[in-house]
Amino acid sequence: MALFKKRTVGKPGEWYYCLEHRKVEEGPECPGKDRFGPYASRTEAEHAMETARERNLQWENDPRWHDAPAGGREEN
């Protein structure tokens, strides 16, 4: 007996961005490891990579997430 059921059909209105095929899809067509989402609209899914870049940049520049000193090595 499988622990997780494979979801073959997505809900209408759920939008995803497939990282492998680089396309927007309604409902989860590709495996979860290959997609971002769900998004509320097709437009949001179309901008998934841009949103990810912006979030990564915010994270990289957030001083709360930089535990190591500027030299790159942690002091003991």
Side-chain angles (χ1 to χ4, degrees):
M1 177 181 213
L3 293 176
F4 301 100
K5 293 181 181 180
K6 185 176 180 182
R7 187 171 162 195
T8 56
V9 179
K11 296 176 187 175
E14 283 186 334
W15 293 91
Y16 296 85
Y17 181 79
C18 177
L19 299 166
E20 184 174 330
H21 299 111
R22 297 181 183 173
K23 69 175 186 136
V24 173
E25 50 190 45
E26 185 173 12
E29 294 175 22
C30 294
K33 67 180 181 69
D34 295 330
R35 67 176 189 249
F36 285 160
Y39 295 95
S41 70
R42 180 179 188 89
T43 304
E44 285 183 41
E46 288 171 348
H47 294 97
M49 295 304 295
E50 182 180 320
T51 301
R53 274 191 295 276
E54 290 171 359
R55 289 179 181 167
N56 285 343
L57 188 59
Q58 288 173 355
W59 178 81
E60 290 168 0
N61 292 313
D62 188 338
R64 296 175 295 174
W65 294 102
H66 293 284
D67 297 334
R73 292 179 11 210
E74 291 186 29
E75 295 180 19
N76 291 331

